[in-house]
Every structure is written in structure tokens, then in C-alpha cells.
Amino acid sequence: LLALALKAQIETLMGHPDAPATIRRALEEPQDPRVACHHNGAGYSRFRWLIMSDQLPEARAAVTALLREVRRHGWVESEVHFLRGVAETELHSGHCGRALDLARESLRLARDTGIGEVASAVLTSLAEAAGGEVERALTLAREAMEHAEEDGDQMYVSRALAALGHAQLVAGDTEAAVRSLRRVREVEQGLGITDPARGRWHGDLAEALVRGGEIAEAQDVI
């Protein structure tokens, strides 16, 4: 079950057309309750696919159900991930205040437990840029990038750089935003991440390039 869930996650990151079928197979009965509600399980893989597909009501329902179940069992590690998922869904839905509250709660829980701190800092940075304080967004993104680099986690180096580039764009630092987001592109190409729905930094890079007069490169990104 975990292997199928991981396969689905990889296919989702690649934009592979088999991802929905793999998710369905991973969710077939019989299920193991510990796996079904685990943050590496098929339920969360389905949530990631839904949010990347902009099926936001379905994504919210899926991750809220997962969060309710792990809280019932007291599985804190998965709770951190699912709480962040709810916050991400609210952010994608444009509910910036609600997203900020949930992201801050997720970050507090992550720091209290030492679980998922980098991922929670990345999301909170994005939420701060949308509905909070841009300086706080910049600080969180830089912290997340430093920790991800220390851990050698290139997946989250790219996520942190995307959050940093977004915050820099919001702050009006066009040159810095272009540098950060060009590096995101390099890292993701190296990792084989090809679905632009995964990080959604491409619009920020195109906008920053236009602001900086790099029209031809902006057109290529678009």
C-alpha cells in the first residue's frame, strides 16, 4: 500500500497520466487503518493530486477527514502534515486570513514536535506573503532554505526557494526574485519534476522577468 502511494506521488509530480489509476488501486480494499491515515499513505497522495488538479472542495474534504481521523488516534506526525494541507487548500482558495491562521498553527505544532518544520515554514511564508507580513515571509523562507540545504533535501530546497522568490516579488525586489526563481527551475529540472502545478512558481518568475525587462525569457517561461 505504501509502495503504491509513493508511486502515485511520483507520478503526480511528473504529471503522469497514470497517477489517478495508481491512487485508485492504492485505495482499494482491504486497507490497513495505519496506512490509510498515514501522511505517506494513499489518502494523502489523493489529496496532493486533487490540490494540484485545482479540485479544491474535494481536496479540502479529503484532508479534513484525514486530519479528523489522526487527531482521534493521537498520531501527531501525520497531524502536522494534514493541518498544513488544510492551510494550503485555504490559501489556494484565496481565503488568506484562514490560511494564515492554520499555517501559523501548523508551524507552532511542527516546532513543538520537531516534525515537518521546513515544510511548515515554507507554507507559512507563502501565507504571510498573501495575508500577513512580507518581512516575516522572507525570514521564514530563508530559514527553510538554510535547513533544507543543511539536510541535503533538494525537494524542499526548491520549495523554499519558490516561497522566497514569491516573497521577494511581493516585496518589490525584482532582481532577487528572478535569481531565486531561476534557481528553482534548475533544481526542479535536476529532480525530474515536470508538472508546473507542483510548485506554481512559474507565474512569479514570468512576472518578475517582465518587471526586469527580460521579455523574451518571460515568454519562454509562459
Side-chain angles (χ1 to χ4, degrees):
L1 290 170
L2 285 169
L4 282 168
L6 178 58
K7 183 171 184 281
Q9 289 177 33
I10 294 168
E11 288 172 346
T12 298
L13 291 174
M14 295 170 62
H16 198 287
D18 287 349
T22 304
I23 292 168
R24 284 194 298 274
R25 186 180 168 205
L27 289 168
E28 288 174 356
E29 299 293 341
Q31 286 286 318
D32 182 321
R34 296 166 299 173
V35 174
C37 293
H38 195 275
H39 57 274
N40 288 320
Y44 199 55
S45 296
R46 177 173 176 266
F47 162 72
R48 298 290 343 150
W49 185 84
L50 286 168
I51 199 166
M52 284 176 61
S53 303
D54 280 326
Q55 298 183 46
L56 298 178
E58 295 88 347
R60 182 185 290 106
V63 76
T64 300
L66 289 168
L67 179 61
R68 187 185 308 116
E69 190 66 14
V70 296
R71 281 177 167 169
R72 187 171 69 84
H73 288 284
W75 295 336
V76 178
E77 184 174 4
S78 291
E79 180 181 355
V80 173
H81 291 278
F82 298 157
L83 183 59
R84 189 172 63 247
V86 178
E88 184 179 359
T89 306
E90 297 297 343
L91 187 61
H92 280 263
S93 302
H95 304 151
C96 299
R98 172 77 172 147
L100 185 58
D101 289 343
L102 288 164
R104 286 173 174 172
E105 183 183 351
S106 170
L107 183 59
R108 282 194 300 270
L109 186 58
R111 286 177 169 169
D112 285 346
T113 60
I115 296 166
E117 292 182 72
V118 171
S120 294
V122 166
L123 181 65
T124 308
S125 172
L126 293 168
E128 290 283 358
E133 302 173 9
V134 70
E135 287 301 321
R136 178 75 174 145
L138 290 164
T139 298
L140 285 168
R142 290 188 179 109
E143 287 177 2
M145 189 172 67
E146 288 171 9
H147 288 305
E149 287 179 330
E150 287 172 7
D151 294 341
D153 188 340
Q154 291 298 297
M155 290 281 282
Y156 271 98
V157 166
S158 74
R159 296 296 296 269
L161 277 168
L164 179 60
H166 179 70
Q168 288 165 334
L169 185 64
V170 172
D173 192 346
T174 299
E175 290 184 12
V178 168
R179 286 195 301 272
S180 296
L181 296 168
R182 278 174 173 163
R183 190 177 164 203
V184 177
R185 181 171 57 190
E186 293 171 6
V187 173
E188 290 200 353
Q189 285 174 347
L191 290 169
I193 297 170
T194 53
D195 192 331
R198 185 261 186 173
R200 301 176 187 262
W201 47 266
H202 309 72
D204 286 344
L205 177 55
E207 183 176 342
L209 288 166
V210 169
R211 288 188 192 181
E214 302 285 349
I215 305 302
E217 186 180 347
Q219 184 64 56
D220 287 342
V221 172
I222 293 165

